[in-house]
Amino acid sequence: RPGEILEGRLDTYTITATLNRGAYGCAHLARATDGSWRVIKQFEPSEELSDADWRYQRVCFERESDILMRFPSPLIVFAHEFLRSDDEMFLVMEHVQGQTLRAVFDHHRLATGRPFAWPTAVGIARQLCQALSFLHHLPGQIIYRDLKPTNIMWDAVARRIKLIDFGTARFNAEAQRATQGLGTAGYAPPELYGQGLDLSPATDVYTCGAVIYELLCGSPPPDRTTPLDFRGQ
């Protein structure tokens, strides 16, 4: 709660506000001892989850923490430290000063009545491709799986995008068998709709195309379980 203190190995964090809360945990805004801001992601799953779901979400949280701690990049959110105490887990991350791509795009649409001009969309596409290429060339080859505007932050200070929320990311060896239901309708490729196809870097390429489709056309791709050919759009 606001006012509570979390003791870390690298610093001490004072919680100032709860940013959001979901079925698997919540995110808090906090200040480090030097006054800088942090975002602390807390593993706090709903009591309504089954034991199997609880264990699965714990594995996802630990995997996300491992990825962000081991593989820093200017194009993904930076993790300072991972804290564990009994069943409690916290991931301390940088506070990105900016908004999600969803918020930026929706504000632009409201102000102008139009989607992004193609040079803006191409600039974002280049950075998304750089971020995905970084993940795909890491040892073990990470597949992000759930690329969408709400999982992309626009860093207003650095003037670039950053990928956030690696809860569904997988190392390629662990992701060969697609899990139905993971991914977001419209952005997800057919293999995430239970089509019996293997996941691969092409999964992320498809979702990247879906994001750029929306930035250029003004609305998300159709919700469908068959492949969408972006070349004809």
Side-chain angles (χ1 to χ4, degrees), residues 32-57:
T33 53
D34 64 359
S36 58
W37 292 105
R38 299 286 188 269
V39 171
I40 300 178
K41 191 171 183 179
Q42 178 182 7
F43 179 68
E44 190 181 39
S46 168
E47 295 180 356
E48 298 177 358
L49 290 179
S50 67
D51 289 343
D53 284 341
W54 186 92
R55 289 192 296 270
Y56 176 73
Q57 292 303 324

mmCIF file of all heavy atoms in Angstrom, residues 32-57:
data_model
loop_
_atom_site.group_PDB
_atom_site.id
_atom_site.type_symbol
_atom_site.label_atom_id
_atom_site.label_comp_id
_atom_site.label_asym_id
_atom_site.label_seq_id
_atom_site.Cartn_x
_atom_site.Cartn_y
_atom_site.Cartn_z
ATOM 1 N N ALA A 32 12.972 5.357 -5.091
ATOM 2 C CA ALA A 32 14.206 4.834 -4.509
ATOM 3 C C ALA A 32 14.764 5.864 -3.531
ATOM 4 O O ALA A 32 14.252 6.985 -3.418
ATOM 5 C CB ALA A 32 15.216 4.530 -5.610
ATOM 6 N N THR A 33 15.815 5.515 -2.824
ATOM 7 C CA THR A 33 16.353 6.415 -1.796
ATOM 8 C C THR A 33 16.900 7.707 -2.375
ATOM 9 O O THR A 33 16.946 8.726 -1.688
ATOM 10 C CB THR A 33 17.455 5.704 -0.986
ATOM 11 O OG1 THR A 33 18.425 5.163 -1.892
ATOM 12 C CG2 THR A 33 16.868 4.581 -0.153
ATOM 13 N N ASP A 34 17.332 7.685 -3.645
ATOM 14 C CA ASP A 34 17.847 8.917 -4.250
ATOM 15 C C ASP A 34 16.745 9.775 -4.856
ATOM 16 O O ASP A 34 17.022 10.805 -5.491
ATOM 17 C CB ASP A 34 18.903 8.598 -5.317
ATOM 18 C CG ASP A 34 18.335 7.814 -6.497
ATOM 19 O OD1 ASP A 34 17.128 7.494 -6.486
ATOM 20 O OD2 ASP A 34 19.103 7.534 -7.443
ATOM 21 N N GLY A 35 15.485 9.363 -4.691
ATOM 22 C CA GLY A 35 14.359 10.138 -5.201
ATOM 23 C C GLY A 35 13.890 9.751 -6.583
ATOM 24 O O GLY A 35 12.881 10.249 -7.063
ATOM 25 N N SER A 36 14.628 8.858 -7.254
ATOM 26 C CA SER A 36 14.227 8.446 -8.607
ATOM 27 C C SER A 36 13.045 7.477 -8.523
ATOM 28 O O SER A 36 12.830 6.797 -7.522
ATOM 29 C CB SER A 36 15.395 7.795 -9.335
ATOM 30 O OG SER A 36 15.881 6.678 -8.620
ATOM 31 N N TRP A 37 12.286 7.440 -9.618
ATOM 32 C CA TRP A 37 11.086 6.613 -9.651
ATOM 33 C C TRP A 37 11.390 5.192 -10.095
ATOM 34 O O TRP A 37 12.287 4.953 -10.899
ATOM 35 C CB TRP A 37 10.053 7.229 -10.593
ATOM 36 C CG TRP A 37 9.470 8.518 -10.118
ATOM 37 C CD1 TRP A 37 9.761 9.773 -10.578
ATOM 38 C CD2 TRP A 37 8.494 8.694 -9.082
ATOM 39 N NE1 TRP A 37 9.033 10.717 -9.895
ATOM 40 C CE2 TRP A 37 8.251 10.089 -8.972
ATOM 41 C CE3 TRP A 37 7.817 7.805 -8.247
ATOM 42 C CZ2 TRP A 37 7.337 10.612 -8.060
ATOM 43 C CZ3 TRP A 37 6.908 8.329 -7.329
ATOM 44 C CH2 TRP A 37 6.682 9.717 -7.240
ATOM 45 N N ARG A 38 10.610 4.254 -9.580
ATOM 46 C CA ARG A 38 10.660 2.860 -9.997
ATOM 47 C C ARG A 38 9.227 2.345 -10.154
ATOM 48 O O ARG A 38 8.302 2.876 -9.543
ATOM 49 C CB ARG A 38 11.378 1.979 -8.961
ATOM 50 C CG ARG A 38 12.812 2.361 -8.701
ATOM 51 C CD ARG A 38 13.723 1.965 -9.845
ATOM 52 N NE ARG A 38 15.122 2.176 -9.492
ATOM 53 C CZ ARG A 38 15.786 3.289 -9.713
ATOM 54 N NH1 ARG A 38 15.178 4.318 -10.296
ATOM 55 N NH2 ARG A 38 17.053 3.400 -9.364
ATOM 56 N N VAL A 39 9.072 1.319 -10.958
ATOM 57 C CA VAL A 39 7.825 0.571 -11.026
ATOM 58 C C VAL A 39 8.109 -0.809 -10.459
ATOM 59 O O VAL A 39 9.057 -1.472 -10.885
ATOM 60 C CB VAL A 39 7.284 0.476 -12.468
ATOM 61 C CG1 VAL A 39 6.098 -0.489 -12.533
ATOM 62 C CG2 VAL A 39 6.859 1.844 -12.961
ATOM 63 N N ILE A 40 7.308 -1.227 -9.484
ATOM 64 C CA ILE A 40 7.494 -2.524 -8.849
ATOM 65 C C ILE A 40 6.314 -3.415 -9.194
ATOM 66 O O ILE A 40 5.168 -3.120 -8.863
ATOM 67 C CB ILE A 40 7.634 -2.393 -7.324
ATOM 68 C CG1 ILE A 40 8.847 -1.516 -6.989
ATOM 69 C CG2 ILE A 40 7.756 -3.761 -6.681
ATOM 70 C CD1 ILE A 40 9.040 -1.283 -5.506
ATOM 71 N N LYS A 41 6.616 -4.500 -9.892
ATOM 72 C CA LYS A 41 5.603 -5.481 -10.256
ATOM 73 C C LYS A 41 5.565 -6.557 -9.181
ATOM 74 O O LYS A 41 6.581 -7.171 -8.869
ATOM 75 C CB LYS A 41 5.929 -6.080 -11.623
ATOM 76 C CG LYS A 41 4.818 -6.922 -12.218
ATOM 77 C CD LYS A 41 5.150 -7.293 -13.658
ATOM 78 C CE LYS A 41 4.022 -8.064 -14.309
ATOM 79 N NZ LYS A 41 4.345 -8.402 -15.736
ATOM 80 N N GLN A 42 4.399 -6.772 -8.607
ATOM 81 C CA GLN A 42 4.236 -7.715 -7.510
ATOM 82 C C GLN A 42 3.438 -8.932 -7.961
ATOM 83 O O GLN A 42 2.386 -8.809 -8.582
ATOM 84 C CB GLN A 42 3.509 -7.037 -6.346
ATOM 85 C CG GLN A 42 3.256 -7.955 -5.158
ATOM 86 C CD GLN A 42 2.486 -7.265 -4.050
ATOM 87 O OE1 GLN A 42 2.030 -6.134 -4.216
ATOM 88 N NE2 GLN A 42 2.339 -7.939 -2.925
ATOM 89 N N PHE A 43 3.957 -10.108 -7.652
ATOM 90 C CA PHE A 43 3.230 -11.344 -7.934
ATOM 91 C C PHE A 43 2.197 -11.543 -6.833
ATOM 92 O O PHE A 43 2.541 -11.829 -5.684
ATOM 93 C CB PHE A 43 4.190 -12.534 -7.992
ATOM 94 C CG PHE A 43 3.509 -13.858 -8.256
ATOM 95 C CD1 PHE A 43 2.927 -14.100 -9.484
ATOM 96 C CD2 PHE A 43 3.460 -14.837 -7.276
ATOM 97 C CE1 PHE A 43 2.306 -15.317 -9.743
ATOM 98 C CE2 PHE A 43 2.851 -16.056 -7.522
ATOM 99 C CZ PHE A 43 2.260 -16.297 -8.758
ATOM 100 N N GLU A 44 0.940 -11.381 -7.176
ATOM 101 C CA GLU A 44 -0.145 -11.492 -6.203
ATOM 102 C C GLU A 44 -1.387 -12.034 -6.913
ATOM 103 O O GLU A 44 -2.349 -11.307 -7.177
ATOM 104 C CB GLU A 44 -0.443 -10.132 -5.567
ATOM 105 C CG GLU A 44 -1.372 -10.213 -4.382
ATOM 106 C CD GLU A 44 -1.650 -8.834 -3.801
ATOM 107 O OE1 GLU A 44 -1.805 -7.877 -4.581
ATOM 108 O OE2 GLU A 44 -1.706 -8.730 -2.573
ATOM 109 N N PRO A 45 -1.366 -13.326 -7.249
ATOM 110 C CA PRO A 45 -2.469 -13.897 -8.015
ATOM 111 C C PRO A 45 -3.756 -13.969 -7.215
ATOM 112 O O PRO A 45 -3.754 -14.009 -5.982
ATOM 113 C CB PRO A 45 -1.953 -15.301 -8.358
ATOM 114 C CG PRO A 45 -0.969 -15.614 -7.289
ATOM 115 C CD PRO A 45 -0.328 -14.304 -6.933
ATOM 116 N N SER A 46 -4.861 -13.989 -7.942
ATOM 117 C CA SER A 46 -6.174 -14.080 -7.321
ATOM 118 C C SER A 46 -6.314 -15.396 -6.564
ATOM 119 O O SER A 46 -5.804 -16.442 -6.971
ATOM 120 C CB SER A 46 -7.261 -13.978 -8.395
ATOM 121 O OG SER A 46 -8.526 -14.338 -7.873
ATOM 122 N N GLU A 47 -7.037 -15.350 -5.441
ATOM 123 C CA GLU A 47 -7.281 -16.561 -4.662
ATOM 124 C C GLU A 47 -8.195 -17.529 -5.403
ATOM 125 O O GLU A 47 -8.317 -18.690 -5.000
ATOM 126 C CB GLU A 47 -7.884 -16.191 -3.308
ATOM 127 C CG GLU A 47 -6.944 -15.378 -2.416
ATOM 128 C CD GLU A 47 -7.563 -15.032 -1.084
ATOM 129 O OE1 GLU A 47 -8.771 -15.365 -0.900
ATOM 130 O OE2 GLU A 47 -6.871 -14.446 -0.228
ATOM 131 N N GLU A 48 -8.862 -17.053 -6.449
ATOM 132 C CA GLU A 48 -9.766 -17.907 -7.204
ATOM 133 C C GLU A 48 -9.038 -18.811 -8.192
ATOM 134 O O GLU A 48 -9.641 -19.716 -8.771
ATOM 135 C CB GLU A 48 -10.794 -17.047 -7.962
ATOM 136 C CG GLU A 48 -11.676 -16.218 -7.028
ATOM 137 C CD GLU A 48 -12.633 -15.327 -7.789
ATOM 138 O OE1 GLU A 48 -12.585 -15.333 -9.041
ATOM 139 O OE2 GLU A 48 -13.426 -14.628 -7.138
ATOM 140 N N LEU A 49 -7.742 -18.592 -8.395
ATOM 141 C CA LEU A 49 -6.978 -19.423 -9.316
ATOM 142 C C LEU A 49 -6.818 -20.842 -8.762
ATOM 143 O O LEU A 49 -6.681 -21.036 -7.555
ATOM 144 C CB LEU A 49 -5.594 -18.818 -9.566
ATOM 145 C CG LEU A 49 -5.500 -17.521 -10.368
ATOM 146 C CD1 LEU A 49 -4.046 -17.094 -10.481
ATOM 147 C CD2 LEU A 49 -6.101 -17.679 -11.742
ATOM 148 N N SER A 50 -6.814 -21.800 -9.663
ATOM 149 C CA SER A 50 -6.533 -23.166 -9.262
ATOM 150 C C SER A 50 -5.055 -23.290 -8.922
ATOM 151 O O SER A 50 -4.235 -22.431 -9.276
ATOM 152 C CB SER A 50 -6.896 -24.136 -10.389
ATOM 153 O OG SER A 50 -6.030 -23.939 -11.500
ATOM 154 N N ASP A 51 -4.690 -24.369 -8.233
ATOM 155 C CA ASP A 51 -3.284 -24.580 -7.881
ATOM 156 C C ASP A 51 -2.414 -24.657 -9.139
ATOM 157 O O ASP A 51 -1.294 -24.139 -9.166
ATOM 158 C CB ASP A 51 -3.137 -25.869 -7.070
ATOM 159 C CG ASP A 51 -3.704 -25.738 -5.662
ATOM 160 O OD1 ASP A 51 -3.915 -24.591 -5.220
ATOM 161 O OD2 ASP A 51 -3.944 -26.773 -5.024
ATOM 162 N N ALA A 52 -2.956 -25.300 -10.192
ATOM 163 C CA ALA A 52 -2.186 -25.424 -11.442
ATOM 164 C C ALA A 52 -1.970 -24.057 -12.073
ATOM 165 O O ALA A 52 -0.866 -23.754 -12.544
ATOM 166 C CB ALA A 52 -2.911 -26.349 -12.412
ATOM 167 N N ASP A 53 -3.015 -23.217 -12.098
ATOM 168 C CA ASP A 53 -2.882 -21.871 -12.662
ATOM 169 C C ASP A 53 -1.917 -21.038 -11.839
ATOM 170 O O ASP A 53 -1.137 -20.250 -12.383
ATOM 171 C CB ASP A 53 -4.246 -21.184 -12.731
ATOM 172 C CG ASP A 53 -5.108 -21.706 -13.864
ATOM 173 O OD1 ASP A 53 -4.547 -22.311 -14.792
ATOM 174 O OD2 ASP A 53 -6.336 -21.502 -13.819
ATOM 175 N N TRP A 54 -1.991 -21.188 -10.511
ATOM 176 C CA TRP A 54 -1.088 -20.429 -9.628
ATOM 177 C C TRP A 54 0.353 -20.788 -9.935
ATOM 178 O O TRP A 54 1.194 -19.913 -10.063
ATOM 179 C CB TRP A 54 -1.410 -20.734 -8.168
ATOM 180 C CG TRP A 54 -0.642 -19.912 -7.180
ATOM 181 C CD1 TRP A 54 -1.014 -18.731 -6.615
ATOM 182 C CD2 TRP A 54 0.659 -20.213 -6.647
ATOM 183 N NE1 TRP A 54 -0.042 -18.283 -5.769
ATOM 184 C CE2 TRP A 54 0.997 -19.167 -5.768
ATOM 185 C CE3 TRP A 54 1.560 -21.268 -6.832
ATOM 186 C CZ2 TRP A 54 2.189 -19.140 -5.066
ATOM 187 C CZ3 TRP A 54 2.766 -21.245 -6.148
ATOM 188 C CH2 TRP A 54 3.069 -20.181 -5.261
ATOM 189 N N ARG A 55 0.648 -22.080 -10.065
ATOM 190 C CA ARG A 55 2.024 -22.505 -10.363
ATOM 191 C C ARG A 55 2.468 -22.019 -11.734
ATOM 192 O O ARG A 55 3.621 -21.602 -11.917
ATOM 193 C CB ARG A 55 2.120 -24.032 -10.276
ATOM 194 C CG ARG A 55 2.013 -24.579 -8.866
ATOM 195 C CD ARG A 55 2.410 -26.047 -8.820
ATOM 196 N NE ARG A 55 1.501 -26.872 -9.599
ATOM 197 C CZ ARG A 55 0.402 -27.438 -9.118
ATOM 198 N NH1 ARG A 55 0.073 -27.260 -7.845
ATOM 199 N NH2 ARG A 55 -0.359 -28.192 -9.887
ATOM 200 N N TYR A 56 1.555 -22.070 -12.711
ATOM 201 C CA TYR A 56 1.901 -21.623 -14.063
ATOM 202 C C TYR A 56 2.225 -20.130 -14.078
ATOM 203 O O TYR A 56 3.214 -19.705 -14.689
ATOM 204 C CB TYR A 56 0.745 -21.917 -15.013
ATOM 205 C CG TYR A 56 0.958 -21.399 -16.422
ATOM 206 C CD1 TYR A 56 1.859 -22.018 -17.277
ATOM 207 C CD2 TYR A 56 0.278 -20.274 -16.879
ATOM 208 C CE1 TYR A 56 2.071 -21.536 -18.561
ATOM 209 C CE2 TYR A 56 0.479 -19.793 -18.162
ATOM 210 C CZ TYR A 56 1.372 -20.430 -18.991
ATOM 211 O OH TYR A 56 1.581 -19.940 -20.256
ATOM 212 N N GLN A 57 1.406 -19.316 -13.416
ATOM 213 C CA GLN A 57 1.653 -17.879 -13.385
ATOM 214 C C GLN A 57 2.931 -17.543 -12.631
ATOM 215 O O GLN A 57 3.619 -16.583 -12.960
ATOM 216 C CB GLN A 57 0.453 -17.145 -12.764
ATOM 217 C CG GLN A 57 -0.802 -17.198 -13.611
ATOM 218 C CD GLN A 57 -0.572 -16.641 -15.004
ATOM 219 O OE1 GLN A 57 0.191 -15.683 -15.192
ATOM 220 N NE2 GLN A 57 -1.243 -17.225 -15.986
#
